[in-house]
Amino acid sequence: MNSETPKHAFPTRILFAEAEAIVRGVAAANRLPVERIAVSRSAGRVLAEDVVAAIRVPSFDNSAMDGFALRSADAVAGASLRLVGEQFAGRPGGFTVGEGECVRITTGAPMPDGADAVVMKENVRLAGDRIELSAAVARGTHVRMAGEDGGPGDLLLRAGTRLTAVQASLAAAVGMAELPVARRPTVAVFTTGDELRPPGQPIEPGEIYDSNRSLLMNLLVAEGLEPVAWPILPDEPDRMRALLRDAGEAFDVVITCGGVSAGEKDYLTGLIAELGAIHFWKVLMRPGMPLVFGRVGQAHLLALPGNPVSVLATFLTLGRQLLRGLQGDAAGLGPVRAQLSMPVAKTHDRREFQRGKLAFGDDATLSVAPHPATASHRLRGAADSDCLIVLPEGALDWPEGRLVDVLRY
Ligand code: AMP
Ligand code: MG
């Protein structure tokens, strides 16, 4: 621990579940304001209020086919019906189909009064102003009933739903042009470390390329956000202090990586305590233990450890919970369950996140193969994988076939 790091003014070495509870609590107490946006741009956004239908869907009985609207009582095999008009989609109704009559109709057009079924045009023989039925047509055939999909007062979408394109279109189908959604958090990303260089430039001995910036920026974009990246921060407390203070005034969330462990140059924890507040430091998870969650200025601050797989594990769990929680997303992370395709062993009692690759077996069972690389600096093993396997506290040995939660990325 750096000499400037405060010792126990905040919870430390807490259980993963406690860390989750704190993150969720802070997010719930700091919901982002609501804004109204166009329904056509709302997929991926979190709905802030229930959507209740004000009209019936469909709003009138209409034809599901191009054909002829008729009275089913007349429609026995071989019947000949007199064509008395045409009813196209988009035109108001108003026709009446009398006994022995029919009306030409297109898909989506209102059903004429008196008609209770539609026969497809392919199934009739047209001769002059008459049609001949090859088979009987039952009542209700090819008719879409008004209100089939819902009516006034029906709860269509719940507040807290992260909207899919289909859900957004349902809101449009009941006439809504805009939806109330949570504002998206603004996010700043800092990477820290004297050894880091931006990709695209030569490196000197002892230096490495900054890969976490790409990792975080892309993960944030995949969350539907528009993050802003700061230049790489050197391990200099004065520079870090100035930039953190600025970012704390300008963003909803600041995510840093590196500089929170026990090294001589790990100044961040002390700076966060000085400039704001720490909710917790160090979570009993592996990788990712030295994580700090706190506040600087107006911003929620997540200071992630520097190793790439630590960044992945902490972002996919606590990072996403914070970002989604601030938007009121009620679904949480919704882990997927898969069967271990080979045994895995944990080295610690802590909650562990191991890299794995998902596959559907011949019996359609989802299985996950753990990757042999477990050290948190080995990005390649994470790139060759597509999920993190969640191994909770306790048992060290996890047998083949055991069901585990996985976090896909
Ligand atoms: P730290 O948490 O600062 O002690 O960093 C832990 C390890 O992660 C060290 O090996 C760092 O060089 C490495 N690291 C820190 N930041 C990054 C980054 N942005 N990209 C790649 N590796 C990093
Ligand atoms: Mg560092």
Side-chain angles (χ1 to χ4, degrees):
M1 183 184 297
N2 185 280
S3 57
E4 288 176 48
T5 305
K7 284 190 182 155
H8 286 289
F10 40 78
T12 184
R13 301 183 70 86
I14 61 175
L15 286 170
F16 183 80
E18 295 176 68
E20 275 186 313
I22 293 173
V23 168
R24 283 210 202 99
V26 168
N30 292 278
R31 286 280 180 78
L32 289 161
V34 175
E35 62 187 7
R36 299 186 68 82
I37 60 164
V39 169
S40 55
R41 303 303 294 261
S42 64
R45 302 295 294 271
V46 181
L47 194 61
E49 292 164 21
D50 291 344
V51 169
V52 176
I55 58 169
R56 291 190 299 179
V57 251
S59 55
F60 50 89
D61 294 349
N62 67 91
S63 175
M65 288 291 170
D66 295 325
F68 299 89
L70 45 71
R71 302 160 73 106
S72 57
D74 298 340
V76 294
S80 168
L81 304 174
R82 197 161 68 86
L83 188 53
V84 296
E86 290 176 330
Q87 174 67 65
F88 297 133
R91 306 276 167 75
F95 277 107
T96 301
V97 172
E99 223 173 286
E101 294 178 344
C102 67
V103 161
R104 188 192 297 274
I105 196 164
T106 59
T107 305
M111 287 294 287
D113 288 342
D116 63 1
V118 170
V119 60
M120 287 165 67
K121 64 197 288 190
E122 293 86 338
N123 291 348
V124 304
R125 208 169 60 81
L126 186 60
D129 69 345
R130 302 197 74 87
I131 64 167
E132 197 175 298
L133 304 179
S134 54
V137 184
R139 184 185 165 84
T141 301
H142 302 317
V143 178
R144 304 161 170 168
M145 301 305 288
E148 255 179 1
D149 248 7
D154 279 3
L155 175 60
L156 300 181
L157 302 169
R158 258 179 219 288
T161 301
R162 180 179 291 271
L163 294 166
T164 63
V166 177
Q167 289 168 327
S169 75
L170 180 62
V174 294
M176 300 183 74
E178 293 186 336
L179 284 173
V181 296
R183 182 167 69 65
R184 284 182 297 189
T186 55
V187 186
V189 170
F190 287 90
T191 52
T192 75
D194 288 337
E195 74 278 29
L196 301 180
R197 288 291 168 271
Q201 299 184 10
I203 42 176
E204 304 293 331
E207 296 178 344
I208 63 167
Y209 287 118
D210 179 353
S211 59
N212 287 344
R213 170 183 306 243
S214 296
L215 180 59
L216 280 169
M217 293 296 282
N218 283 314
L219 287 170
L220 286 159
V221 169
E223 276 294 290
L225 304 176
E226 293 168 3
V228 173
W230 238 254
I232 295 165
L233 276 182
D235 293 317
E236 285 169 25
D238 290 342
R239 290 274 335 264
M240 294 173 108
R241 181 183 291 110
L243 286 177
L244 275 180
R245 199 179 264 147
D246 281 356
E249 297 310 323
F251 293 88
D252 298 314
V253 176
V254 174
I255 300 181
T256 68
C257 80
V260 288
S261 304
E264 296 304 315
K265 298 263 181 181
D266 290 338
Y267 298 112
L268 254 179
T269 314
L271 287 173
I272 298 162
E274 175 197 320
L275 297 174
I278 291 181
H279 303 310
F280 59 75
W281 181 32
K282 292 186 180 167
V283 179
L284 295 173
M285 63 189 288
R286 181 176 189 277
M289 181 154 107
L291 169 112
V292 181
F293 179 45
R295 199 174 176 95
V296 170
Q298 308 299 309
H300 304 287
L301 186 138
L302 268 175
L304 313 181
N307 275 309
V309 186
S310 306
V311 170
L312 184 62
T314 50
F315 180 85
L316 290 180
T317 53
L318 302 172
R320 288 195 301 179
Q321 278 169 1
L322 174 65
L323 296 163
R324 293 183 185 191
L326 290 169
Q327 298 171 78
D329 185 341
L333 300 181
V336 173
R337 309 204 87 196
Q339 263 183 350
L340 284 173
S341 67
M342 60 180 97
V344 292
K346 290 168 63 186
T347 47
H348 282 266
D349 180 54
R350 285 183 245 157
R351 178 165 301 215
E352 209 162 289
F353 298 87
Q354 291 200 12
R355 281 143 273 191
K357 195 159 178 85
L358 292 165
F360 278 107
D362 292 340
D363 60 354
T365 308
L366 187 60
S367 69
V368 60
H371 193 280
T374 55
S376 61
H377 64 288
R378 293 183 62 180
L379 188 53
R380 175 130 181 236
D384 289 341
S385 304
D386 55 16
C387 69
L388 292 178
I389 302 169
V390 184
L391 301 172
E393 298 77 2
L396 294 183
D397 291 311
W398 289 72
E400 179 183 333
R402 179 65 73 82
L403 271 183
V404 288
D405 285 347
V406 298
L407 297 161
R408 286 179 295 174
Y409 57 81

